[in-house]
Coordinates of all heavy atoms in Angstrom, one line a residue:
L1 N 13.2 23.9 -33.4 CA 12.5 23.5 -32.2 C 12.6 22.0 -32.0 O 12.3 21.3 -32.9 CB 11.0 24.0 -32.3 CG 10.3 24.2 -31.0 CD1 10.5 25.7 -30.6 CD2 8.9 23.9 -31.0
L2 N 12.9 21.6 -30.8 CA 13.1 20.2 -30.5 C 11.8 19.7 -29.7 O 11.4 20.3 -28.7 CB 14.3 20.0 -29.6 CG 14.7 18.6 -29.3 CD1 15.2 17.9 -30.6 CD2 15.8 18.6 -28.3
S3 N 11.1 18.7 -30.3 CA 10.0 18.2 -29.6 C 10.3 16.9 -29.0 O 10.9 16.0 -29.6 CB 8.8 18.0 -30.6 OG 9.1 17.0 -31.5
L4 N 10.1 16.8 -27.7 CA 10.4 15.6 -27.0 C 9.2 14.6 -27.0 O 8.1 15.0 -26.6 CB 10.7 15.9 -25.5 CG 12.0 16.7 -25.3 CD1 12.1 17.1 -23.9 CD2 13.2 15.9 -25.7
C5 N 9.4 13.4 -27.4 CA 8.3 12.5 -27.5 C 8.7 11.3 -26.5 O 9.6 10.6 -26.7 CB 8.2 11.9 -28.9 SG 6.9 10.7 -29.0
H6 N 7.9 11.2 -25.5 CA 8.1 10.2 -24.5 C 7.2 9.0 -24.9 O 6.0 9.1 -24.9 CB 7.7 10.6 -23.1 CG 8.6 11.7 -22.5 ND1 9.9 11.4 -22.1 CD2 8.4 13.0 -22.4 CE1 10.4 12.5 -21.7 NE2 9.5 13.5 -21.9
A7 N 7.9 7.9 -25.2 CA 7.1 6.6 -25.5 C 6.3 6.2 -24.3 O 5.2 5.8 -24.4 CB 8.1 5.5 -25.9
E8 N 6.9 6.4 -23.1 CA 6.3 6.0 -21.9 C 6.5 7.0 -20.8 O 7.6 7.2 -20.3 CB 6.8 4.6 -21.4 CG 6.1 4.1 -20.2 CD 6.6 2.7 -19.8 OE1 7.0 1.9 -20.6 OE2 6.8 2.5 -18.6
E9 N 5.5 7.8 -20.6 CA 5.6 8.9 -19.6 C 5.7 8.2 -18.2 O 5.0 7.3 -18.0 CB 4.3 9.8 -19.7 CG 4.4 11.1 -19.0 CD 3.2 11.9 -19.1 OE1 2.4 11.7 -20.0 OE2 2.9 12.7 -18.2
A10 N 6.5 8.8 -17.4 CA 6.7 8.2 -16.1 C 5.4 8.4 -15.2 O 4.9 9.5 -15.2 CB 7.9 8.9 -15.4
A11 N 5.0 7.3 -14.6 CA 3.8 7.4 -13.8 C 4.2 8.1 -12.5 O 5.3 8.1 -12.0 CB 3.3 6.0 -13.4
V12 N 3.2 8.8 -11.9 CA 3.4 9.4 -10.6 C 2.3 8.9 -9.7 O 1.3 8.4 -10.1 CB 3.3 11.0 -10.7 CG1 4.5 11.5 -11.6 CG2 2.0 11.4 -11.3
I13 N 2.5 9.1 -8.4 CA 1.5 8.8 -7.4 C 0.5 9.9 -7.3 O 0.8 11.0 -7.0 CB 2.2 8.5 -6.0 CG1 3.1 7.3 -6.1 CG2 1.1 8.4 -4.9 CD1 3.9 7.0 -4.8
V14 N -0.7 9.6 -7.6 CA -1.8 10.6 -7.6 C -2.3 10.7 -6.1 O -2.6 11.8 -5.7 CB -3.0 10.1 -8.5 CG1 -4.2 11.1 -8.4 CG2 -2.5 10.0 -9.9
S15 N -2.5 9.6 -5.5 CA -2.9 9.6 -4.1 C -2.2 8.6 -3.3 O -2.2 7.4 -3.7 CB -4.4 9.4 -4.1 OG -4.9 8.6 -3.1
G16 N -1.4 9.0 -2.3 CA -0.6 8.1 -1.6 C -1.2 7.4 -0.4 O -2.4 7.6 -0.2
L17 N -0.5 6.6 0.3 CA -1.0 5.9 1.5 C -1.3 6.9 2.6 O -0.7 7.9 2.7 CB 0.0 4.9 2.0 CG 0.6 3.8 1.0 CD1 1.5 2.9 1.7 CD2 -0.5 3.1 0.3
R18 N -2.3 6.5 3.4 CA -2.7 7.3 4.5 C -2.5 6.5 5.8 O -2.9 5.3 5.8 CB -4.2 7.8 4.4 CG -4.4 8.8 3.3 CD -5.8 9.4 3.4 NE -5.9 10.4 2.4 CZ -6.3 10.2 1.1 NH1 -6.5 8.9 0.7 NH2 -6.4 11.1 0.3
S19 N -2.0 7.1 6.8 CA -1.8 6.4 8.1 C -3.2 6.0 8.6 O -4.2 6.7 8.5 CB -1.1 7.3 9.1 OG 0.2 7.5 8.6
T20 N -3.2 4.8 9.3 CA -4.5 4.2 9.7 C -4.3 3.7 11.1 O -3.3 3.1 11.5 CB -4.8 3.1 8.8 OG1 -4.9 3.6 7.4 CG2 -6.2 2.5 9.1
D21 N -5.3 4.0 11.9 CA -5.4 3.4 13.3 C -6.6 2.4 13.3 O -7.7 2.8 12.9 CB -5.7 4.5 14.3 CG -4.6 5.5 14.5 OD1 -3.7 5.5 13.7 OD2 -4.6 6.3 15.5
V22 N -6.3 1.2 13.8 CA -7.4 0.2 13.9 C -7.2 -0.5 15.2 O -6.2 -0.5 15.9 CB -7.4 -0.8 12.8 CG1 -7.7 -0.2 11.4 CG2 -6.0 -1.5 12.7
F23 N -8.3 -1.2 15.6 CA -8.2 -2.0 16.9 C -7.8 -3.5 16.5 O -8.0 -3.9 15.4 CB -9.6 -2.1 17.6 CG -9.9 -0.8 18.3 CD1 -10.8 0.1 17.7 CD2 -9.2 -0.4 19.4 CE1 -11.1 1.3 18.4 CE2 -9.5 0.8 20.1 CZ -10.4 1.6 19.5
V24 N -7.2 -4.2 17.5 CA -6.9 -5.6 17.3 C -8.0 -6.3 16.8 O -9.2 -6.2 17.2 CB -6.5 -6.1 18.7 CG1 -6.3 -7.6 18.6 CG2 -5.2 -5.5 19.2
G25 N -7.8 -7.2 15.8 CA -8.8 -8.0 15.2 C -9.5 -7.4 14.0 O -10.3 -8.1 13.3
E26 N -9.3 -6.1 13.8 CA -10.0 -5.4 12.7 C -9.1 -5.6 11.4 O -8.0 -6.2 11.5 CB -10.2 -4.0 13.0 CG -11.3 -3.7 14.1 CD -11.6 -2.3 14.3 OE1 -10.7 -1.4 13.9 OE2 -12.6 -2.0 14.8
S27 N -9.6 -5.0 10.3 CA -8.8 -5.0 9.1 C -8.3 -3.6 8.9 O -9.0 -2.6 9.2 CB -9.7 -5.4 7.9 OG -10.1 -6.7 8.0
A28 N -7.1 -3.5 8.3 CA -6.5 -2.2 7.9 C -6.3 -2.2 6.4 O -5.8 -3.1 5.8 CB -5.2 -2.0 8.6
T29 N -6.8 -1.1 5.7 CA -6.7 -1.1 4.3 C -5.9 0.2 3.8 O -6.1 1.3 4.3 CB -8.1 -1.0 3.6 OG1 -8.8 -2.2 3.9 CG2 -8.0 -1.0 2.1
F30 N -4.9 -0.1 3.0 CA -4.1 1.0 2.4 C -4.3 1.0 0.9 O -4.2 0.0 0.3 CB -2.6 0.8 2.8 CG -2.4 0.9 4.3 CD1 -2.5 -0.2 5.1 CD2 -2.0 2.1 4.8 CE1 -2.3 -0.2 6.4 CE2 -1.7 2.2 6.2 CZ -1.9 1.0 7.0
T31 N -4.4 2.2 0.3 CA -4.6 2.3 -1.1 C -3.7 3.4 -1.7 O -3.5 4.4 -1.1 CB -6.1 2.8 -1.4 OG1 -7.0 1.8 -0.9 CG2 -6.3 2.8 -2.9
C32 N -3.1 3.0 -2.8 CA -2.2 4.0 -3.5 C -2.7 4.0 -5.0 O -2.9 3.0 -5.6 CB -0.8 3.5 -3.4 SG 0.4 4.8 -4.0
E33 N -2.9 5.3 -5.5 CA -3.3 5.4 -6.8 C -2.2 6.0 -7.7 O -1.6 7.0 -7.3 CB -4.6 6.3 -6.9 CG -5.1 6.4 -8.3 CD -6.4 7.3 -8.3 OE1 -7.0 7.6 -7.3 OE2 -6.7 7.8 -9.5
L34 N -2.0 5.4 -8.8 CA -1.0 5.8 -9.8 C -1.6 6.6 -10.9 O -2.8 6.3 -11.2 CB -0.1 4.7 -10.3 CG 0.6 3.8 -9.2 CD1 1.3 2.7 -9.9 CD2 1.5 4.6 -8.4
S35 N -0.9 7.4 -11.6 CA -1.4 8.2 -12.7 C -1.8 7.4 -13.9 O -2.8 7.6 -14.6 CB -0.5 9.3 -13.1 OG 0.8 8.7 -13.4
H36 N -1.1 6.3 -14.1 CA -1.5 5.4 -15.2 C -0.9 4.0 -15.0 O 0.1 3.8 -14.2 CB -1.2 5.9 -16.6 CG 0.2 6.4 -16.8 ND1 0.6 7.7 -16.5 CD2 1.3 5.8 -17.2 CE1 1.8 7.9 -16.8 NE2 2.3 6.8 -17.2
P37 N -1.5 3.0 -15.6 CA -1.1 1.6 -15.4 C 0.3 1.3 -16.1 O 0.9 2.1 -16.7 CB -2.2 0.8 -16.1 CG -2.8 1.7 -17.1 CD -2.6 3.1 -16.6
G38 N 0.7 0.0 -15.8 CA 1.9 -0.5 -16.5 C 3.2 -0.3 -15.7 O 4.2 -0.6 -16.3
V39 N 3.1 0.1 -14.5 CA 4.3 0.2 -13.7 C 4.7 -1.2 -13.2 O 3.8 -1.9 -12.6 CB 4.1 1.1 -12.4 CG1 5.4 1.2 -11.6 CG2 3.7 2.5 -12.9
R40 N 5.9 -1.6 -13.4 CA 6.3 -2.9 -13.0 C 7.0 -2.9 -11.6 O 7.2 -1.8 -11.1 CB 7.3 -3.5 -14.0 CG 6.6 -3.9 -15.3 CD 7.5 -4.7 -16.2 NE 8.2 -3.9 -17.2 CZ 7.6 -3.3 -18.3 NH1 6.3 -3.5 -18.5 NH2 8.3 -2.5 -19.1
N41 N 7.2 -4.1 -11.1 CA 7.9 -4.2 -9.8 C 7.1 -3.6 -8.7 O 7.6 -2.8 -8.0 CB 9.3 -3.7 -9.8 CG 10.2 -4.3 -10.9 OD1 10.0 -5.5 -11.2 ND2 11.1 -3.6 -11.5
V42 N 5.8 -3.9 -8.6 CA 5.0 -3.4 -7.5 C 5.2 -4.3 -6.3 O 5.1 -5.5 -6.4 CB 3.5 -3.4 -7.9 CG1 2.6 -3.1 -6.8 CG2 3.3 -2.4 -9.1
Q43 N 5.4 -3.7 -5.1 CA 5.7 -4.5 -3.9 C 5.2 -3.7 -2.7 O 5.3 -2.5 -2.6 CB 7.2 -4.8 -3.8 CG 7.6 -5.5 -2.5 CD 7.1 -7.0 -2.6 OE1 7.5 -7.8 -3.4 NE2 6.3 -7.4 -1.6
W44 N 4.6 -4.5 -1.8 CA 4.2 -3.9 -0.5 C 5.1 -4.4 0.6 O 5.6 -5.6 0.6 CB 2.7 -4.4 -0.2 CG 1.7 -3.8 -1.0 CD1 1.2 -4.3 -2.2 CD2 1.0 -2.6 -0.8 NE1 0.2 -3.4 -2.7 CE2 0.1 -2.4 -1.9 CE3 1.0 -1.6 0.2 CZ2 -0.8 -1.3 -1.9 CZ3 0.1 -0.5 0.2 CH2 -0.8 -0.4 -0.9
W45 N 5.4 -3.6 1.6 CA 6.2 -4.0 2.7 C 5.6 -3.6 4.0 O 4.8 -2.6 4.1 CB 7.6 -3.3 2.6 CG 8.3 -3.4 1.3 CD1 7.9 -2.7 0.2 CD2 9.4 -4.2 1.0 NE1 8.8 -3.0 -0.8 CE2 9.7 -3.9 -0.4 CE3 10.1 -5.1 1.7 CZ2 10.7 -4.6 -1.0 CZ3 11.2 -5.7 1.1 CH2 11.5 -5.5 -0.3
L46 N 5.9 -4.3 5.1 CA 5.5 -3.9 6.5 C 6.8 -3.9 7.3 O 7.3 -5.0 7.5 CB 4.4 -4.8 7.1 CG 4.0 -4.5 8.5 CD1 3.5 -3.0 8.7 CD2 3.0 -5.4 9.0
D47 N 7.2 -2.7 7.7 CA 8.5 -2.6 8.5 C 9.6 -3.3 7.8 O 10.4 -4.1 8.4 CB 8.3 -3.1 9.9 CG 7.8 -2.0 10.8 OD1 7.8 -0.9 10.4 OD2 7.4 -2.4 11.9
G48 N 9.7 -3.2 6.5 CA 10.9 -3.7 5.8 C 10.7 -5.2 5.3 O 11.6 -5.8 4.7
T49 N 9.6 -5.8 5.7 CA 9.3 -7.2 5.3 C 8.4 -7.2 4.1 O 7.3 -6.7 4.2 CB 8.7 -8.0 6.5 OG1 9.5 -7.9 7.6 CG2 8.5 -9.5 6.1
P50 N 8.8 -7.9 3.0 CA 7.9 -7.9 1.9 C 6.6 -8.7 2.2 O 6.6 -9.7 2.9 CB 8.7 -8.7 0.8 CG 10.0 -9.0 1.4 CD 10.0 -8.6 2.8
L51 N 5.5 -8.2 1.7 CA 4.2 -8.8 1.9 C 3.8 -9.6 0.7 O 4.0 -9.2 -0.4 CB 3.1 -7.8 2.3 CG 3.4 -7.0 3.6 CD1 2.4 -5.9 3.7 CD2 3.4 -7.9 4.8
H52 N 3.1 -10.7 0.9 CA 2.6 -11.5 -0.2 C 1.1 -11.8 0.0 O 0.6 -11.9 1.1 CB 3.4 -12.8 -0.3 CG 4.9 -12.6 -0.4 ND1 5.4 -12.2 -1.6 CD2 5.9 -12.7 0.5 CE1 6.7 -12.0 -1.4 NE2 7.0 -12.3 -0.2
N53 N 0.4 -12.1 -1.1 CA -1.0 -12.3 -1.1 C -1.3 -13.7 -0.3 O -0.8 -14.7 -0.8 CB -1.5 -12.4 -2.5 CG -2.9 -11.8 -2.6 OD1 -3.5 -11.4 -1.7 ND2 -3.3 -11.6 -3.8
N54 N -2.1 -13.6 0.8 CA -2.5 -14.8 1.4 C -3.8 -14.6 2.2 O -4.4 -13.6 1.9 CB -1.3 -15.3 2.4 CG -0.9 -14.3 3.4 OD1 -1.7 -13.5 3.9 ND2 0.4 -14.2 3.6
L55 N -4.1 -15.4 3.2 CA -5.4 -15.3 3.9 C -5.4 -14.0 4.6 O -6.5 -13.3 4.7 CB -5.6 -16.5 4.8 CG -6.0 -17.8 4.1 CD1 -5.9 -18.9 5.0 CD2 -7.3 -17.7 3.4
V56 N -4.4 -13.6 5.3 CA -4.4 -12.4 6.1 C -4.0 -11.1 5.4 O -4.3 -10.0 5.8 CB -3.5 -12.5 7.4 CG1 -4.2 -13.5 8.4 CG2 -2.2 -13.0 7.1
T57 N -3.2 -11.3 4.3 CA -2.8 -10.2 3.5 C -3.4 -10.2 2.1 O -3.0 -11.1 1.3 CB -1.2 -10.2 3.4 OG1 -0.7 -10.4 4.7 CG2 -0.7 -9.0 2.8
E58 N -4.3 -9.3 1.9 CA -4.9 -9.2 0.5 C -4.3 -8.1 -0.3 O -4.4 -6.9 0.1 CB -6.4 -9.0 0.7 CG -7.2 -10.2 1.3 CD -8.6 -9.9 1.5 OE1 -9.2 -9.2 0.6 OE2 -9.2 -10.3 2.5
I59 N -3.7 -8.5 -1.4 CA -3.1 -7.5 -2.3 C -3.9 -7.5 -3.6 O -4.1 -8.5 -4.2 CB -1.6 -7.8 -2.6 CG1 -0.9 -7.7 -1.2 CG2 -1.1 -6.8 -3.6 CD1 0.6 -8.2 -1.3
S60 N -4.4 -6.3 -4.0 CA -5.2 -6.3 -5.2 C -4.9 -5.0 -6.0 O -4.2 -4.1 -5.6 CB -6.7 -6.3 -4.9 OG -7.1 -5.1 -4.2
E61 N -5.3 -5.1 -7.3 CA -5.0 -4.0 -8.2 C -6.2 -3.8 -9.1 O -6.8 -4.8 -9.6 CB -3.8 -4.5 -9.1 CG -3.3 -3.5 -10.1 CD -2.2 -4.2 -10.9 OE1 -1.2 -4.6 -10.3 OE2 -2.4 -4.3 -12.1
Q62 N -6.6 -2.5 -9.3 CA -7.7 -2.2 -10.1 C -7.3 -1.3 -11.3 O -6.7 -0.3 -11.0 CB -8.8 -1.5 -9.2 CG -10.1 -1.3 -9.9 CD -11.0 -0.6 -9.0 OE1 -10.9 -0.5 -7.8 NE2 -12.0 0.1 -9.5
D63 N -7.6 -1.7 -12.5 CA -7.2 -0.9 -13.7 C -5.7 -0.7 -13.8 O -5.2 0.2 -14.5 CB -7.9 0.5 -13.7 CG -9.4 0.4 -13.6 OD1 -9.9 -0.7 -14.1 OD2 -10.0 1.3 -13.1
G64 N -4.9 -1.5 -13.0 CA -3.4 -1.3 -13.1 C -3.0 0.0 -12.4 O -1.8 0.3 -12.4
R65 N -3.9 0.8 -11.9 CA -3.6 2.1 -11.3 C -3.8 2.2 -9.8 O -3.1 2.8 -9.1 CB -4.4 3.2 -12.0 CG -4.1 3.4 -13.4 CD -5.0 4.5 -14.1 NE -5.3 5.6 -13.2 CZ -6.5 5.9 -12.7 NH1 -7.5 5.2 -13.0 NH2 -6.6 7.0 -12.0
I66 N -4.9 1.5 -9.4 CA -5.3 1.6 -7.9 C -4.8 0.3 -7.3 O -5.3 -0.8 -7.6 CB -6.8 1.8 -7.8 CG1 -7.2 3.1 -8.4 CG2 -7.2 1.8 -6.3 CD1 -8.6 3.3 -8.6
H67 N -3.8 0.4 -6.4 CA -3.2 -0.7 -5.7 C -3.7 -0.7 -4.2 O -3.6 0.3 -3.6 CB -1.7 -0.6 -5.8 CG -1.2 -0.7 -7.2 ND1 -0.8 -1.9 -7.7 CD2 -1.1 0.2 -8.1 CE1 -0.4 -1.7 -9.0 NE2 -0.6 -0.4 -9.3
T68 N -4.2 -1.8 -3.8 CA -4.8 -1.9 -2.4 C -4.2 -3.0 -1.6 O -4.0 -4.1 -2.2 CB -6.3 -2.1 -2.5 OG1 -6.9 -1.0 -3.3 CG2 -7.0 -2.0 -1.1
L69 N -3.9 -2.7 -0.4 CA -3.4 -3.7 0.6 C -4.4 -3.8 1.7 O -4.7 -2.7 2.3 CB -2.0 -3.4 1.1 CG -1.5 -4.2 2.3 CD1 -1.2 -5.6 1.9 CD2 -0.3 -3.5 2.9
T70 N -4.9 -5.0 2.0 CA -5.7 -5.1 3.2 C -5.1 -6.2 4.1 O -4.8 -7.3 3.7 CB -7.2 -5.6 2.8 OG1 -7.7 -4.6 1.9 CG2 -8.0 -5.7 4.1
L71 N -4.9 -5.7 5.4 CA -4.3 -6.6 6.4 C -5.5 -7.0 7.3 O -6.1 -6.2 7.9 CB -3.3 -5.9 7.2 CG -2.0 -5.4 6.4 CD1 -1.2 -4.6 7.3 CD2 -1.3 -6.6 5.9
N72 N -5.8 -8.3 7.3 CA -7.0 -8.8 8.0 C -6.6 -9.3 9.4 O -5.5 -9.8 9.6 CB -7.7 -9.9 7.3 CG -8.3 -9.5 6.0 OD1 -9.0 -8.5 6.0 ND2 -8.0 -10.1 4.9
D73 N -7.5 -9.1 10.4 CA -7.3 -9.7 11.7 C -6.0 -9.2 12.3 O -5.2 -10.1 12.7 CB -7.4 -11.2 11.7 CG -7.6 -11.8 13.1 OD1 -8.0 -11.1 14.0 OD2 -7.3 -13.0 13.2
V74 N -5.7 -7.9 12.3 CA -4.4 -7.4 12.8 C -4.2 -7.6 14.3 O -5.2 -7.7 15.0 CB -4.3 -5.9 12.4 CG1 -4.2 -5.7 10.9 CG2 -5.4 -5.1 13.1
A75 N -2.9 -7.7 14.6 CA -2.5 -7.9 16.0 C -1.6 -6.7 16.4 O -1.2 -6.0 15.5 CB -1.8 -9.2 16.2
C76 N -1.4 -6.5 17.7 CA -0.5 -5.4 18.1 C 0.8 -5.4 17.4 O 1.3 -4.3 17.1 CB -0.3 -5.5 19.6 SG -1.8 -5.0 20.5
H77 N 1.4 -6.6 17.2 CA 2.7 -6.6 16.6 C 2.7 -6.2 15.1 O 3.8 -6.1 14.5 CB 3.4 -8.0 16.8 CG 2.7 -9.1 16.1 ND1 1.9 -10.0 16.7 CD2 2.7 -9.4 14.7 CE1 1.4 -10.8 15.8 NE2 1.8 -10.5 14.6
D78 N 1.5 -6.0 14.5 CA 1.4 -5.6 13.1 C 1.7 -4.1 13.0 O 1.8 -3.5 11.9 CB 0.1 -5.9 12.5 CG 0.0 -7.4 12.3 OD1 0.9 -8.1 11.9 OD2 -1.1 -8.0 12.6
S79 N 1.7 -3.3 14.1 CA 1.9 -1.9 14.1 C 3.2 -1.6 13.4 O 4.2 -2.3 13.7 CB 1.9 -1.3 15.5 OG 0.6 -1.3 16.0
G80 N 3.3 -0.6 12.6 CA 4.6 -0.3 11.9 C 4.4 0.6 10.7 O 3.3 1.2 10.5
T81 N 5.4 0.6 9.8 CA 5.3 1.4 8.6 C 5.0 0.5 7.4 O 5.7 -0.5 7.1 CB 6.6 2.1 8.4 OG1 6.9 2.9 9.5 CG2 6.6 3.0 7.2
V82 N 3.9 0.8 6.7 CA 3.5 0.2 5.5 C 4.1 1.0 4.3 O 4.0 2.2 4.3 CB 2.0 0.1 5.4 CG1 1.6 -0.5 4.0 CG2 1.4 -0.8 6.5
T83 N 4.8 0.3 3.4 CA 5.4 0.9 2.3 C 4.9 0.3 1.0 O 4.9 -0.9 0.9 CB 6.9 0.9 2.3 OG1 7.3 1.4 3.6 CG2 7.6 1.6 1.2
F84 N 4.5 1.1 0.0 CA 4.1 0.7 -1.3 C 5.2 1.2 -2.3 O 5.6 2.3 -2.2 CB 2.8 1.3 -1.7 CG 2.5 1.1 -3.2 CD1 1.9 -0.1 -3.6 CD2 2.7 2.1 -4.1 CE1 1.6 -0.3 -4.9 CE2 2.3 1.9 -5.4 CZ 1.8 0.7 -5.9
R85 N 5.7 0.2 -3.1 CA 6.7 0.6 -4.0 C 6.3 0.1 -5.4 O 5.9 -1.0 -5.6 CB 8.0 -0.1 -3.6 CG 9.2 0.4 -4.3 CD 10.4 -0.1 -3.7 NE 11.6 0.6 -4.1 CZ 12.8 0.6 -3.4 NH1 12.9 -0.1 -2.3 NH2 13.8 1.3 -3.9
A86 N 6.4 1.0 -6.4 CA 6.1 0.7 -7.8 C 7.2 1.3 -8.6 O 7.2 2.5 -8.9 CB 4.7 1.3 -8.2
G87 N 8.1 0.4 -9.0 CA 9.3 0.9 -9.7 C 10.0 1.9 -8.8 O 10.4 1.6 -7.7
P88 N 10.3 3.2 -9.3 CA 11.0 4.2 -8.5 C 10.1 4.9 -7.5 O 10.6 5.7 -6.7 CB 11.5 5.1 -9.6 CG 10.5 5.1 -10.7 CD 10.0 3.6 -10.7
L89 N 8.8 4.7 -7.6 CA 7.8 5.4 -6.7 C 7.7 4.7 -5.4 O 7.5 3.5 -5.3 CB 6.5 5.5 -7.4 CG 6.4 6.1 -8.8 CD1 5.1 5.9 -9.4 CD2 6.9 7.5 -8.8
I90 N 7.6 5.5 -4.4 CA 7.5 5.0 -3.0 C 6.5 5.8 -2.2 O 6.5 7.1 -2.3 CB 8.8 5.0 -2.2 CG1 9.8 4.0 -2.9 CG2 8.6 4.5 -0.8 CD1 11.1 3.9 -2.3
S91 N 5.6 5.2 -1.5 CA 4.7 5.9 -0.6 C 4.6 5.0 0.7 O 4.6 3.8 0.7 CB 3.3 6.0 -1.2 OG 2.4 6.6 -0.3
S92 N 4.7 5.7 1.8 CA 4.6 5.1 3.1 C 3.6 5.7 4.1 O 3.3 6.9 3.9 CB 6.0 5.1 3.8 OG 7.0 4.4 3.1
A93 N 3.1 4.9 5.0 CA 2.2 5.4 6.0 C 2.3 4.5 7.2 O 2.8 3.4 7.2 CB 0.8 5.3 5.5
K94 N 1.8 5.0 8.4 CA 1.9 4.3 9.6 C 0.6 3.5 9.9 O -0.4 3.9 9.6 CB 2.1 5.2 10.8 CG 3.4 6.0 10.8 CD 4.5 5.2 11.4 CE 5.8 6.0 11.5 NZ 7.0 5.2 11.3
L95 N 0.8 2.3 10.4 CA -0.3 1.5 10.9 C -0.1 1.4 12.4 O 0.9 0.9 12.9 CB -0.2 0.1 10.2 CG -1.2 -1.0 10.9 CD1 -2.6 -0.5 10.7 CD2 -1.0 -2.3 10.3
L96 N -1.2 1.8 13.1 CA -1.2 1.7 14.5 C -2.3 0.8 14.9 O -3.5 1.1 14.6 CB -1.4 3.1 15.2 CG -1.5 3.1 16.7 CD1 -0.2 2.6 17.4 CD2 -1.8 4.5 17.2
V97 N -2.0 -0.3 15.5 CA -3.0 -1.3 16.0 C -3.2 -1.1 17.5 O -2.2 -1.2 18.3 CB -2.6 -2.7 15.7 CG1 -3.6 -3.7 16.2 CG2 -2.3 -2.9 14.3
K98 N -4.4 -0.7 17.9 CA -4.7 -0.4 19.3 C -5.3 -1.6 20.0 O -6.2 -2.2 19.4 CB -5.6 0.8 19.4 CG -5.0 2.1 18.8 CD -5.9 3.3 18.9 CE -7.0 3.2 17.8 NZ -7.6 4.5 17.6
G99 N -4.9 -1.8 21.2 CA -5.5 -2.9 22.0 C -6.8 -2.4 22.5 O -7.1 -1.3 22.6
I100 N -7.7 -3.4 22.7 CA -9.0 -3.0 23.3 C -8.9 -3.0 24.8 O -8.6 -4.0 25.4 CB -10.1 -4.1 22.8 CG1 -10.2 -4.0 21.3 CG2 -11.4 -3.8 23.5 CD1 -11.0 -5.2 20.7
S101 N -9.2 -1.8 25.3 CA -9.2 -1.7 26.8 C -10.5 -2.1 27.4 O -11.5 -1.6 27.1 CB -8.8 -0.3 27.2 OG -9.7 0.6 26.6
L102 N -10.5 -3.2 28.2 CA -11.7 -3.7 28.8 C -12.1 -2.7 29.9 O -11.3 -2.2 30.7 CB -11.4 -5.1 29.3 CG -11.0 -6.1 28.3 CD1 -10.6 -7.4 28.9 CD2 -12.2 -6.4 27.3
P103 N -13.4 -2.5 30.1 CA -13.9 -1.7 31.2 C -13.5 -2.3 32.5 O -13.5 -3.5 32.7 CB -15.4 -1.6 31.0 CG -15.7 -2.7 30.0 CD -14.5 -3.1 29.3
A104 N -13.1 -1.4 33.5 CA -12.6 -1.9 34.8 C -13.8 -2.5 35.6 O -14.9 -2.0 35.5 CB -12.0 -0.7 35.5

């Protein structure tokens, strides 16, 4: 009998990104949960552009498993596809930023 021993079991996405609708000026938060920590090469993208931690883009990680992206003060042009990538794992969701319609 052959017993397979994995030194490092491949992580999987437990809970992926969910599409989010927000109004202009609000914050949009995306969360992806991995089965276990230690996945390298974690990166967030918006429509193919890599995102980096700054005043408007908050990237955080909890226990190495829960990865969160918060886009603050969004504008209409921020609408698009948010992608989370951790090694070979990928999760994507849509961000729709809605303009505020003023009463006539």
